Each structure stands twice: as structure tokens, then as C-alpha cells.
Amino acid sequence: MAAVTLKNVVKRFGVFEVVHGADIDINDGEFVVFVGPSGCGKSTLLRMIAGLEDISGGEIAIGGKLVNDVEPADRGIAMVFQSYALYPHMTVEQNLSFGLRMTGNAKADTDRRVKRAAEILRITELMKRRPRQLSGGQRQRVAIGRAIVREPQVFLFDEPLSNLDAELRVQMRVEISRLHKELGVTMIYVTHDQTEAMTLADRIVVLNGGDIEQIGAPLDLYDDPANRFVAGFVGSPKMNFLAAKVVGADGGAAIVELANHGGARLRKPLADVPPAAGTDVVLGVRPEHFFDAGQGDCDIAVKADVAEHLGSVSYVYANAGANAGANIGANTGQEELIIEREASRHRANGDHLVVSIKAGRSLLFDTTGARIR
Amino acid sequence: MRHQNATAYRFLAPYLLIFAIFWVWPIIDSFMISFQATRTVPWRFAPGFNWGRLIGDPAFFNALKNTLLILVIQVPVMISLAIVMAVLLNSPLLKARGLFRFAFFAPVVVGEVAYSAVFRLMFNLNFGIINKLLNSVGLPSVDWFSNVTPAMAVIMIAVTWRWAGYNAIILLAGLQSIPEDVYEAATLDRVSKLKQFFYITLPLLKPIILFCAVLSIIGTMQLFTEPFLITERGGPGGGTETLGLLLYRQGFRSLNFGYASAIAYTMAGLAIAISLVQIWLTREPK
Ligand SMILES: Nc1ncnc2c1ncn2[C@@H]1O[C@H](COP(=O)(O)OP(=O)(O)OP(=O)(O)O)[C@@H](O)[C@H]1O
Ligand SMILES: [Mg+2]
């Protein structure tokens, strides 16, 4: 078991810098997920921890020991690859034991470890098969088994579930979660799927373009994102961003006018000094935080274009609205909104809908994307 | 459909006609000729004439022995060398990969006569570069073409030089199809580079190695150019005569086509047999 510490870690490929100084403290036994859009440097970061990629700057320590110049095999880590990276010509059993056999580990101990890994992952019946005779999910189990056999201090996963179908993905997600509880070791997990991140992580590291946007527990990121990027990335479907302008202040609160909703106004209490009147801002509202008309602090009218009915909930995609009176804004058709309705099973096309926004269930950002709290 | 097929065959007809005349017919005809006495006209059917002679012919056994000797030494050496070359070519440390790939492939496209002439010069007793090099490190000159063992060595070296790069290029394609992350997984498994080569690269490359081996066996069974041009018609004294050369001598010097055909069929049969044994020996374990 070991903590993992990254201090100002930089990675350059030639002149092209892809990780710009990452600081991450991962506690012993913690499950940390690196999440971010494609190309943001998640894999690169993970591979630097593994030692498969050298570090252009900064320090990485595992279990309190600086590992910058330590060989990958001596770092006490095991990695599960997206493509499984099983040895195609070996049986499952040979795949699991290969590393130990090659390094002259005692046979009895090797057998014990292989047996235990096979039991944990329930692949005992598959031991004599070769990778090509396995399903995707079974291959993934073998890949994880090979990591378990090494009895590492830290597990690294690089998008291990992205080649599986949706159902299997959910199942394996639960398995990995169970594995983490059973083994109690540090796990670092890379994904671009925010659902995986939310469900698995003790803490999430949100990356964007080689920078760390925020580190925090899943619900903290959901409730209290540091900026617009994190707000948009965490939560599904994505948070809606409504163009707005500060039109005044009212004791500690900003009065915000929604530009595309016919001047609908929201009184948004803030901890900081409200921005000056005339400042352009962005109001973030999650699809699940629209309320029935009159239930919130500001009503807006929208016209539904498409509705997806999932049974338990429906998602209404709206971007055109009609004027409907006093404090009700008319959507001018600029902004697409996604609105979650509890199983309303609305008919979609052209339905008019009035929904309400609550000040406490919305977030304010400045035009650079930073939170205004 | 029918109509379209007919049209297709009409387009193919010229090729098929030439293929039938210059490939299929000679194969059938030579098989039949191998059962005929062709020493004197008119040729007559005599099944035992050529095949019987083959069994007791010391010249045939000499050529067979030489061919197999070259085969068992040269093919493994060349394939091993080709594997090493392919691994080096595949190394990320290598600069100018394209240049090396071309250089490795170039010997195949060099004209046979020019290549043979160069080898004769290189191994010349008095002013060849090989003897000069030997002398420079204090070794005596070798009379490469007057003794059987050195002459055989020259042939093997020449054939290896000519075909190792070609096989390396084929093996390189095989190497490149092995995913990088398998090696990364092995590295994390604390498996040394050398063990990775023996336990991952070689097993995964096996089908391609087998392909190269079969190709080389077929090629070496037909070996002709090198003993004909470099060691001057199988010299010294038939010491490097191969089956290919014997066939040529019988068929085109003595015009004994029946016996030449029997030799040709023996060569083909041996190539097939050896290749099958090779495939059987390296088959996938069930
Ligand atoms: N060997 C390399 N040489 C040059 N650039 C590279 C190399 N490997 C990665 N990059 C670049 O580094 C950046 C980060 O790549 P990385 O693979 O870490 O992304 P990622 O976050 O894992 O993305 P994905 O979700 O698509 O896997 C990308 O812009 C990529 O083009
Ligand atoms: Mg990646």
C-alpha cells in the first residue's frame, strides 16, 4: 500500500508540452479517477506514474519514495490497459503467472497467487483458454487478474472498460469497486466517462488540456464546481449555460437578467461582492434543477423540440419559446436547453413549457468561466 | 450473372491460355517425360529408366547431399540473422529507418550476374578483399574456390547476403503487428528485454518465421545461380554441385530431358516434404 504524490509534473513531447505542472496528492488506499476530454493528458499522466513515459519535469513519489529514476517494474505498481494487452499465445493461467515465472518466483507462491486472483475474479474455469477464446469482459478480468497477481501497492487503470458494451461496463464497474474494497490498495483510474468517475471515485481529478481544473470528491464537484469546465463536465446530461447580464445589486445579491429569455430576472445571493451592473455573466442550471412554474425564483417559457422518454425521467430539448407574461422570459431561440422532467411523458414537438429556476440551484460564472460565488 | 461471368472469362482468356501453355502443360509434360527414355530418339516409354538411374546415381546423391547441406546450414543462419535485422529495424532508437529498409531489400533486385561477379572478386585468392582482411588480422589467405569446404561457405554467405534482408522485411511486418502494450505489460511484469524476445516476440512471430523458412527451403532446393556463376558450375570438381545445377547439366547440356524431369520432380517433392515436416514440427499445440 502506498500514497502517490505528484509535484509539479510536466511532460513534453519534443517542444509540445502536454502536461503543464500537475500537483496531485493521492492517499494510501484511495480510489482516484482522472477524468477529462480526449487528449487532455490522462493517459500520459498515468503512464508517467507507471514509468512507461519519462518525466520532463517535477517529481513523482510512490509510498514516500521518489521514483523519477526507478524502473517501471520496481515501482510497486500494476497497470491494466485499455486494450487488455494480454499475451495472445498464452493461456489465461500462463498470462497470470508469466511475470512471476520469468522472475524466478517460487512455484508454490506463484500458484497460490494465481489461484487467489482467479477466485477473486471468478475466472477459475477459464484458466486453460487463450485470450482469443474469451469475451471482452472475460479478457478484462484476466487483465485485472494479471495485475492482482503482482500484489502491487498501486493499481493503475487506463480506460479499462471502454471496449465493453454498456451493460458489461456497469457490471465491471461494480466489480472494480468491490475489488477496491477487498484489496484496500490505492487505485488510479483513467476514464473520459463521467459516470464511471462519479460512481467509482473517492476523489476525482478533472483534467483539461494538460491542466488540472479541480480535484475533489464526486459530489463536491457536482455541487460546487470551481469553474464552468468542471460544471459542464460533471453531471449527465450536461449543465445548461444561460447567457446573462448583471443589472443591479440588492444587498449581497446580484440581480441577473437572462439575455435570451426576454429579460427574465433572477435574484442570486452571493458571498462575494456582486459584479458591477452591466457585467456579462453566465448562469449554469443543471437539467435536473428546473422546477415547475412558480416553484422557483424565476420562470422561463420554452418550446420543446424533442423529448426523450426514458421511463423514470424524460429529457426535453428546448430552444424556442413564447412570451408569457410578467416575470416569464421568452426564449429567443439562441440557447438550447436540456430540461429533465420526472416521467412527464410530454408529447414533444411544439409543446410549450414553463419551468422555474431556483437561485440556490444555479451557479454563476464570469465570461472567462470562473465561478462567482 | 451467367452472362457477366462469361464476359469475365473472356477477359481472362488470354492470361489463362498463356498460363496453360507455359505453366500447366510443361508441368504435366515433364512429369510424363520423366517416365521416358530420352537418351536416343525416338523417345520411348520406360518408367524405370530415369527413376531407376536416380536411385543409383552417385552424381545425384552428391548434388542432393550438397543441396541439403546448404539447406540445413544456410536457412537457419539466414532466418536467425533476418530476425535480428528485423528487430533492429523495428527499434525506436534507429534513425533513417527507410534507408536501412531499402538497403536490406536492395540485394534482391541486383542482377544475378553482377552480384556473382562481385562475390567472385571479393573472394579472389590474390586480390580479393576477404583475403586482404584476413591477412590484415594475421590470418593466412584462403583459396576459396579450389577447396570444397570454403567454396560451400562462399555459396552460403552469398545466398545469405542476398536473401536475409528480404526475409527481414517480411519479419519486420510481423513484428510491427505485435502491439506495443504487450511489451509494456511485460516490462511492468519485470520481464527482461531478452526474455521478452524469447517468450513474446518469437512465439508471436512464429507463423511469419515459418513462412520465411518454407520460402527459403523452396528457394534453396532450387539453388542454381550461385553454384553456376560463383563457384563455376559446381566446382571444384562437383563439390558444390546442387540439384538445380545437375538438372541443368542433364537437361540442357546433355539434352537428357527425361532424367532432368525426374530430378525436377524429386526437388519439388523434397521441398514439399521438408516444408510439411517444418509446419508439422511448429504446429500450434492443441
Ligand atoms: N508519443 C507521443 N508523442 C507526441 N505527442 C503525444 C504522444 N502521446 C501523446 N501525445 C499527445 O499528448 C496529449 C495527451 O495525450 P493522452 O494520450 O495523455 O490523452 P488522453 O487524455 O489519454 O486522451 P484519450 O481520452 O483520448 O485517451 C495529446 O495531445 C496527444 O496528442
Ligand atoms: Mg488515453
Side-chain angles (χ1 to χ4, degrees):
Chain A
M1 300 208 192
V4 177
T5 313
L6 278 70
K7 253 195 227 131
N8 196 24
V9 170
V10 174
K11 178 66 189 180
R12 277 181 292 268
F13 289 109
V15 292
F16 190 50
E17 189 171 295
V18 297
V19 175
H20 320 292
D23 288 297
I24 307 174
D25 273 310
I26 296 167
N27 300 324
D28 187 10
E30 196 173 21
F31 198 123
V32 168
V33 174
F34 294 174
V35 71
S38 195
C40 68
K42 308 178 293 287
S43 298
T44 305
L45 213 48
L46 197 73
R47 291 167 58 82
M48 284 195 286
I49 297 172
L52 294 173
E53 212 67 81
D54 37 87
I55 304 163
S56 312
E59 291 180 350
I60 295 180
I62 298 175
K65 187 171 147 244
L66 189 68
V67 294
N68 282 24
D69 298 317
V70 175
E71 286 297 312
D74 300 326
R75 294 188 178 195
I77 53 103
M79 184 153 165
V80 177
F81 295 81
Q82 177 177 357
S83 56
Y84 319 129
L86 298 176
Y87 309 121
H89 56 301
M90 299 184 198
T91 63
V92 169
E93 190 167 22
Q94 289 166 336
N95 260 284
L96 295 183
S97 62
F98 182 61
L100 294 174
R101 278 186 287 127
M102 286 299 111
T103 50
N105 194 51
K107 180 155 188 335
D109 182 56
T110 303
D111 290 348
R112 178 188 64 76
R113 292 201 207 178
V114 168
K115 188 159 168 284
R116 173 167 163 268
E119 276 163 9
I120 291 176
L121 292 164
R122 301 187 214 106
I123 50 174
T124 311
E125 329 75 68
L126 307 175
M127 296 305 262
K128 296 287 175 233
R129 296 213 205 155
R130 275 165 217 280
R132 80 177 102 79
Q133 301 165 313
L134 301 175
S135 71
Q138 291 169 332
R139 281 179 211 186
Q140 191 52 264
R141 274 168 218 267
V142 177
I144 296 172
R146 191 170 59 181
I148 292 178
V149 166
R150 297 204 56 209
E151 300 186 348
Q153 301 181 307
V154 181
F155 277 86
L156 307 177
F157 296 89
D158 192 356
E159 308 209 24
L161 307 185
S162 56
N163 288 342
L164 304 181
D165 64 44
E167 200 177 325
L168 208 51
R169 204 139 70 193
V170 174
Q171 194 185 326
M172 283 305 292
R173 208 164 72 199
V174 175
E175 295 254 338
I176 290 176
S177 212
R178 182 176 63 89
L179 191 70
H180 179 241
K181 292 208 175 60
E182 229 169 283
L183 301 176
V185 296
T186 313
M187 291 190 175
I188 306 176
Y189 185 107
V190 162
T191 179
H192 59 249
D193 180 322
Q194 66 92 30
T195 316
E196 266 173 42
M198 294 297 281
T199 50
L200 284 170
D202 293 326
R203 274 194 307 156
I204 296 177
V205 177
V206 183
L207 292 159
N208 183 25
D211 287 310
I212 295 177
E213 296 283 350
Q214 190 172 2
I215 304 179
L219 291 181
D220 290 346
L221 296 192
Y222 178 86
D223 292 333
D224 191 19
N227 53 47
R228 183 174 163 172
F229 179 82
V230 176
F233 200 82
V234 173
S236 170
K238 260 168 76 94
M239 181 181 267
N240 297 293
F241 294 106
L242 290 73
K245 193 191 274 295
V246 176
V247 291
D250 170 20
I255 308 297
V256 174
E257 188 175 286
L258 299 177
N260 294 318
H261 298 274
R265 288 184 174 192
L266 175 73
R267 183 177 178 280
K268 173 81 181 152
L270 295 171
D272 298 339
V273 180
T279 312
D280 283 325
V281 292
V282 175
L283 188 73
V285 184
R286 295 196 183 278
E288 55 273 36
H289 293 156
F290 285 104
F291 299 87
D292 291 339
Q295 302 286 305
D297 305 314
C298 161
D299 286 5
I300 57 172
V302 297
K303 184 159 144 274
D305 287 337
V306 178
E308 295 174 346
H309 303 294
L310 304 185
S312 60
V313 294
S314 300
Y315 294 111
V316 177
Y317 293 78
N319 68 359
N323 220 336
N327 193 23
I328 298 178
N331 191 312
T332 50
Q334 318 276 344
E335 274 166 354
E336 168 148 307
L337 296 181
I338 308 174
I339 297 166
E340 182 183 315
R341 310 296 296 156
E342 248 174 63
S344 63
R345 305 201 179 181
H346 269 296
R347 269 207 291 120
N349 295 347
D351 270 4
H352 290 278
L353 194 65
V354 178
V355 290
S356 188
I357 299 167
K358 280 187 183 166
R361 287 298 208 168
S362 61
L363 303 170
L364 206 58
F365 303 96
D366 68 19
T367 46
T368 67
R371 262 291 283 286
I372 303 170
R373 289 168 194 273
Chain B
M1 266 328 269
R2 276 273 152 95
H3 181 69
Q4 281 182 358
N5 282 348
T7 309
Y9 281 113
R10 275 205 290 279
F11 273 109
L12 287 172
Y15 168 75
L16 290 176
L17 195 69
I18 290 171
F19 182 74
I21 293 173
F22 290 100
W23 280 92
V24 180
W25 174 243
I27 289 171
I28 296 168
D29 193 38
S30 64
F31 186 67
M32 296 190 306
I33 290 177
S34 77
F35 294 101
Q36 296 179 19
T38 56
R39 296 292 294 273
T40 50
V41 275
W43 296 357
R44 62 190 167 80
F45 181 73
F49 192 82
N50 297 314
W51 291 101
R53 176 177 170 191
L54 198 73
I55 295 167
D57 185 358
F60 169 75
F61 281 100
N62 174 54
L64 180 64
K65 185 200 76 190
N66 290 338
T67 305
L68 292 181
L69 193 67
I70 294 171
L71 188 92
V72 298
I73 298 175
Q74 185 265 330
V75 172
V77 167
M78 179 183 69
I79 300 282
S80 310
L81 199 66
I83 293 170
V84 172
M85 286 160 76
V87 169
L88 294 180
L89 261 184
N90 199 30
S91 160
L93 302 175
L94 183 75
K95 306 269 185 280
R97 178 165 298 119
L99 186 69
F100 279 101
R101 216 159 26 198
F102 168 74
F104 282 5
F105 200 76
V108 178
V109 294
V110 171
E112 295 181 335
V113 176
Y115 135 81
S116 302
V118 169
F119 265 82
R120 281 189 65 78
L121 277 176
M122 284 185 357
F123 286 89
N124 183 287
L125 172 61
N126 298 315
F127 45 87
I129 186 160
I130 302 294
N131 278 343
K132 287 267 186 309
L133 286 174
L134 288 178
N135 295 340
S136 73
V137 294
L139 294 169
S141 289
V142 176
D143 192 352
W144 292 99
F145 298 111
S146 306
N147 300 302
V148 174
T149 309
M152 284 289 262
V154 172
I155 288 184
M156 292 182 204
I157 292 168
V159 175
T160 302
W161 177 82
R162 189 139 181 251
W163 294 104
Y166 175 82
N167 285 291
I169 301 294
I170 298 176
L171 289 163
L172 177 65
L175 277 183
Q176 285 172 341
S177 72
I178 303 176
E180 185 55 32
D181 53 15
V182 171
Y183 292 106
E184 288 180 346
T187 303
L188 292 179
D189 264 349
R190 204 190 284 274
V191 179
S192 68
K193 284 271 175 274
L194 196 66
K195 282 187 172 162
Q196 288 180 21
F197 175 76
F198 283 109
Y199 290 93
I200 296 175
T201 308
L202 277 190
L204 290 180
L205 214 51
K206 204 168 77 181
I208 317 274
I209 295 175
L210 188 63
F211 173 75
C212 286
V214 169
L215 221 57
S216 305
I217 288 167
I218 292 169
T220 305
M221 285 306 294
Q222 305 176 11
L223 197 61
F224 174 78
T225 307
E226 286 80 3
F228 186 75
L229 290 175
I230 299 181
T231 57
E232 284 202 285
R233 309 186 181 206
T240 60
E241 181 163 82
T242 57
L243 288 174
L245 208 53
L246 178 67
L247 180 156
Y248 166 81
R249 239 171 11 99
Q250 287 296 332
F252 299 98
R253 308 292 296 187
S254 314
L255 300 183
N256 185 1
F257 291 110
Y259 193 43
S261 299
I263 296 169
Y265 266 89
T266 310
M267 286 163 60
L270 278 172
I272 292 170
I274 296 172
S275 300
L276 286 179
V277 168
Q278 172 86 357
I279 291 167
W280 182 76
L281 282 177
T282 54
R283 72 201 179 282
E284 280 285 305
K286 275 281 156 291

